[in-house]
Amino acid sequence: MLKETVRSKFRETYGTTGAVYAAPGRVNLIGEHTDYNLGFVLPGAIDKEIVLEIKPNGQDTFRVSSVDFNESTTFSANGEKTSYAWANYILGVVMELKAKGFDVHAFDCTFGGNVPLGGGMSSSAALESAFAFAINDTYGYGLTRMELAKVGQLAEHNYAGVRCGIMDQFASLHGEKGKLMKLDCRSLEYELVPFELNGYKVILLDTNVKHSLASSEYNVRRSQCEEGVSTIAKKHPEVASLRDVTLAMLEEVKDELSAVVYNRCEYVVKENIRLTNACEALKQGNIEAFGAEMYGSHEGLSKYYEVSCPELDFLVDIAKRTTGVIGSRMMGGGFGGCTISVVSNQIHDHFIAEATAEFEKQFGKKPLVYDVVISDGARKLE
Ligand code: GLA
């Protein structure tokens, strides 16, 4: 359906046909705000994606169009931004590939998607990954998926102004059906973790809250973590990131850190421990223990990392009170977006009905509900 829409828009706009590619959004089961601290994350790609059609046009100007925004624009590879936020992600990918030494020839393209915007499922990473993958394949640059993920991440840093970690682009490019990926963001090695949820489903409840502060606060969190690291590194020169920090080291410098910086650092160190425990629980088939770590993660994100919001906390509280919801937490950068919950099939409908009704009573609007299936990463469709 999505593919057909993209194809017909491409034909209508450029009067020809090109190659079609897709790259998905992601969920993250646990390990939030750990990626840029070189810790661990546990994402999986999902069955919601960006689809694009692309064809080199032999000109100097890139022509790009969006099905969902019903807008078109052009740019040249001189780095000058367009007035369309969506187009600047594509420009960003082109410019980062140029920075790696590739002479990216201009193309025509159209894209569309069903990754909810601002829902915390990484629609922007899906867009960057789809283009990085498609351009690499079209022009035969031979970059690995990990190199393409880094291109997307840099596009986000330099063209969207968010100093994000590698998780989202990594997940969009490396996803495998039915598998989560335990990524070590320091070595960039990862392990596939089968996510067999016999009797359970993953549900996302979208608060539909989009805070304009989200990206600036994100960068603030990152700086606070860096501040903690530089203080600890004075005593422990081997420490290069919060990944290298233990709770004992943190305790040693407690008086030298502001309460806020201490809380941020402690959250990150503990989140890595929670993730390790959660993966162990999953391997042993102990889904309850896995869920308990998810609740712990939410509490840390809300109280110590302070990236939650009342709507997210409210949904997690309902989940906690509902027997059969084994774990729930806010997902992604925070300040809005979704909660992710692991819910037994038996109470799936009941939980959604309860959460929807109570949320509406409290906030005057319904949360959006998404069932997600862990799916494959970026690929060529035809
Ligand atoms: C956003 C960023 C990721 C990651 C998460 C928080 O999704 O793009 O790199 O930091 O927030 O875990």
Side-chain angles (χ1 to χ4, degrees), residues 62-325:
F62 293 75
R63 300 191 294 185
V64 296
S65 61
S66 156
V67 171
D68 304 303
F69 294 107
N70 196 20
E71 289 166 348
S72 301
T73 188
T74 60
F75 60 79
S76 32
N78 59 9
E80 200 181 309
K81 285 197 188 169
T82 77
S83 49
Y84 298 95
W86 58 265
N88 293 334
Y89 288 103
I90 309 172
L91 169 72
V93 170
V94 168
M95 294 310 293
E96 294 303 336
L97 284 166
K98 268 192 81 175
K100 282 182 80 71
F102 297 104
D103 178 21
V104 187
H105 295 297
F107 51 75
D108 293 338
C109 74
T110 296
F111 75 96
N114 52 20
V115 193
L117 296 181
M121 280 166 256
S122 297
S123 51
S124 62
L127 183 57
E128 290 149 358
S129 303
F131 274 93
F133 187 85
I135 297 170
N136 179 59
D137 193 60
T138 300
Y139 296 119
Y141 298 155
L143 294 172
T144 63
R145 287 177 184 257
M146 195 63 88
E147 287 168 323
L148 295 173
K150 289 182 192 166
V151 165
Q153 181 191 16
L154 286 173
E156 187 83 30
H157 286 199
N158 299 326
Y159 291 83
V162 182
R163 292 174 66 211
C164 67
I166 192 78
M167 169 169 68
D168 305 347
Q169 293 81 4
F170 162 80
S172 182
L173 281 149
H174 294 80
E176 284 191 30
K177 200 170 178 210
K179 308 264 174 38
L180 298 175
M181 294 163 287
K182 181 186 177 194
L183 173 68
D184 178 337
C185 301
R186 185 170 61 187
S187 67
L188 294 183
E189 278 163 8
Y190 70 99
E191 185 192 329
L192 293 173
V193 182
F195 195 45
E196 280 142 13
L197 283 180
N198 292 331
Y200 296 91
K201 274 202 177 75
V202 175
I203 300 178
L204 303 184
L205 294 177
D206 188 350
T207 59
N208 221 347
V209 172
K210 300 175 191 16
H211 278 295
S212 55
L213 274 178
S215 48
S216 57
E217 283 297 317
Y218 184 95
N219 292 344
V220 168
R221 294 298 175 285
R222 190 164 175 160
S223 305
Q224 289 165 336
C225 293
E226 287 163 356
E227 195 182 322
V229 168
S230 77
T231 304
I232 299 163
K234 285 186 197 135
K235 284 213 171 73
H236 298 276
E238 73 281 13
V239 164
S241 69
L242 283 180
R243 170 64 179 283
D244 309 324
V245 171
T246 61
L247 290 171
M249 287 177 184
L250 206 52
E251 210 46 46
E252 261 176 62
V253 297
K254 190 163 187 179
D255 295 342
E256 294 160 53
L257 299 174
S258 69
V260 167
V261 169
Y262 178 84
N263 285 342
R264 305 296 191 246
C265 296
E266 190 195 44
Y267 159 77
V268 172
V269 175
K270 287 189 170 170
E271 182 75 350
N272 281 319
I273 299 171
R274 280 189 286 266
L275 182 143
T276 308
N277 294 341
C279 285
E280 222 23 70
L282 205 55
K283 281 181 197 154
Q284 289 162 6
N286 187 347
I287 195 87
E288 282 80 17
F290 182 84
E293 301 295 346
M294 290 178 78
Y295 283 125
S297 169
H298 184 79
E299 182 166 347
L301 286 160
S302 178
K303 296 202 178 122
Y304 300 100
Y305 216 66
E306 297 181 276
V307 290
S308 187
C309 64
E311 292 86 348
L312 288 166
D313 289 344
F314 188 84
L315 287 173
V316 172
D317 281 343
I318 296 173
K320 260 189 196 156
R321 294 202 301 268
T322 312
T323 312
V325 181

